[in-house]
């Protein structure tokens, strides 16, 4: 029975490359990522619509990781770059595999993991945008540095570490304070998740310095190091954070994406109108589509119900307020998480 033939089918393109054992390890990580991905996808169907964003982000992270590890286990997604240093029989100036597919994965998963945290913290939108940018600096600068064969690679390493320092500051400072404002439960859940990611991400620059940067460890050892870090920062962190969030009242975050929007009135007041079509009015057999008349009331016209006009039984309940006319109106989606 044939074993792992990845390196025979896709021959290595550098002198220093992964071994068959290294490919076996990568296939193992791929299998774990895929299994966890399927579990999260199945789990997300048990969550009410309107509150699935965290599970959907987790599925994005794990799907991306599974694809990247499939490529690396197949000995694909690497380019040969000359090494700068000599260590343990490996001489300088000889090509080593640099895995750009790993950094494509990081480009997607790193900001996604941050969104998993900060969407449950109430952090201001402008701070979230800046946080995502510096997380990409953390990733892209390491990729550019890995592709540079001269000593200038360490300049990009410094840029990467600077980006990570900003991420640490934002998570342990403004985001942590913002989560505390929402409630002690949110503060506790955020603190655990931020602590896990902050510690694990500290180890990524160390791994880079020992592998792509310093050529201290072999490509196979590099894969083992990165694989352990990725398993901890992705499936391990995601399941801990999702279980923590499952105990919270996510309605406080007002993440009913696509359900409601706030419209500004041209007169003295504005009303929040429901974008989804047609809901039955209590006590009548008719359905109404909300329209504003400038007084804060809603008028309705009969509309035939159809396949897409009904809410499924998994829909998350949307809060509603009753105005002077007795007509239910959706409250404006204003939260600390959406303030710019």
């Amino acid at each position: 029975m044939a074993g792992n033939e990845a390196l025979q089918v896709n021959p290595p393109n550098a002198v220093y490359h992964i071994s068959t054992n290294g490919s076996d390890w990568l296939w193992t990580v791929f299998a774990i990522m895929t299994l966890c991905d399927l579990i999260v996808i199945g789990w997300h169907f048990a969550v009410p619509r309107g509150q699935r964003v965290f599970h959907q982000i987790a599925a994005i992270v794990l799907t991306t990781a599974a694809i990247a590890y499939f490529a690396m286990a197949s000995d694909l997604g690497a380019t040969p770059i000359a090494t700068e240093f000599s260590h343990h029989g490996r001489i300088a100036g000889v090509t080593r595999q640099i895995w750009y597919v790993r950094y494509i994965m990081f480009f997607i998963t790193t900001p996604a993991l941050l969104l998993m945290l900060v969407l449950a913290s109430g952090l201001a939108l402008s701070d979230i945008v800046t946080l995502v940018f510096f997380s990409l600096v953390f990733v892209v600068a390491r990729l550019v540095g890995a592709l540079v064969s001269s000593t200038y690679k360490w300049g990009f390493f410094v840029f990467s570490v600077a980006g990570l320092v900003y991420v640490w500051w934002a998570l342990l400072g403004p985001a942590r304070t913002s989560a505390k404002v929402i409630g002690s439960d949110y503060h506790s859940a955020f603190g655990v998740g931020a602590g896990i990611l902050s510690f694990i991400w500290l180890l990524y620059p160390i791994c880079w310095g020992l592998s792509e940067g310093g050529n201290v460890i072999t490509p196979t050892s590099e894969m083992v190091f990165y694989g352990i870090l990725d398993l901890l920062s992705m499936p391990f962190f995601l399941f801990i954070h999702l279980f923590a969030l499952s105990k919270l009242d996510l309605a406080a975050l007002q993440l009913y994406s696509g359900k409601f929007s706030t419209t500004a009135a041209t007169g003295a007041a504005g009303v929040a109108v429901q974008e989804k079509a047609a809901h039955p009015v209590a006590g009548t057999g008719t359905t109404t589509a909300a329209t504003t008349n400038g007084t804060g009331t809603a008028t309705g016209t009969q509309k035939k119900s159809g396949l897409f006009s009904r809410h499924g039984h998994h829909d998350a309940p949307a809060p509603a307020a009753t105005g002077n006319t007795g007509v239910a109106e959706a409250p404006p989606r204003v939260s600390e998480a959406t303030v710019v």
Side-chain angles (χ1 to χ4, degrees), residues 143-170:
L143 170 60
V144 177
L147 296 175
V148 174
S149 58
S150 70
T151 189
Y152 284 84
K153 66 173 61 182
W154 297 102
F156 293 100
F157 176 77
V158 172
F159 288 130
S160 175
V161 172
L164 179 60
V165 169
Y166 181 88
V167 170
W168 283 338
W169 172 81

Side-chain angles (χ1 to χ4, degrees), residues 10 79 160 180 222 238 248-249 253 292-293:
N10 305 304
T79 188
S160 175
K180 190 173 183 179
E222 167 192 339
L238 288 172
L248 305 179
D249 179 17
L253 300 174
T292 61
N293 58 15

Side-chain angles (χ1 to χ4, degrees), residues 28-43:
T28 301
V29 178
F30 161 74
I32 296 173
M33 294 289 188
T34 302
L35 176 61
C36 293
D37 190 18
L38 294 175
I39 292 173
V40 168
I41 291 173
W43 186 3

Side-chain angles (χ1 to χ4, degrees), residues 111-124:
L113 290 168
L114 282 176
L115 287 177
M116 282 283 294
L117 277 174
V118 298
L119 284 181
S121 71
L123 188 66

Side-chain angles (χ1 to χ4, degrees), residues 168-326:
W168 283 338
W169 172 81
L171 291 181
L172 303 180
R176 182 170 172 269
T177 302
S178 181
K180 190 173 183 179
V181 172
I182 301 177
S184 59
D185 292 339
Y186 283 93
H187 180 252
S188 176
F190 176 84
V192 172
I196 292 174
L197 276 188
S198 296
F199 174 73
I200 296 173
W201 282 352
L202 168 66
L203 301 177
Y204 277 96
I206 297 176
C207 183
W208 188 95
L210 294 175
S211 53
E212 297 109 317
N215 193 33
V216 176
I217 60 178
T218 66
T220 296
S221 299
E222 167 192 339
M223 288 303 185
V224 174
F225 199 161
Y226 272 119
I228 293 173
L229 294 181
D230 289 342
L231 288 174
L232 292 175
S233 65
M234 294 181 201
F236 177 75
F237 161 76
L238 288 172
F239 279 107
I240 287 180
H241 195 56
L242 287 175
F243 275 117
L245 293 177
S246 67
K247 302 176 183 179
L248 305 179
D249 179 17
L250 298 182
L253 300 174
Q254 300 187 23
L255 295 176
Y256 296 97
S257 56
K259 290 284 186 179
F260 299 97
S261 67
T262 303
T263 57
T266 57
V271 294
V273 296
Q274 190 167 357
E275 292 178 336
K276 297 292 183 180
H279 292 287
V281 177
T284 68
T286 63
T287 59
T288 62
T291 60
T292 61
N293 58 15
T295 63
T297 62
T299 60
T301 57
Q302 186 172 358
K303 184 174 181 178
K304 183 178 179 180
S305 61
L307 177 62
F308 299 103
S309 64
R310 296 185 304 165
H311 283 291
H313 67 282
H314 287 302
D315 284 354
T322 303
N324 295 331
T325 62

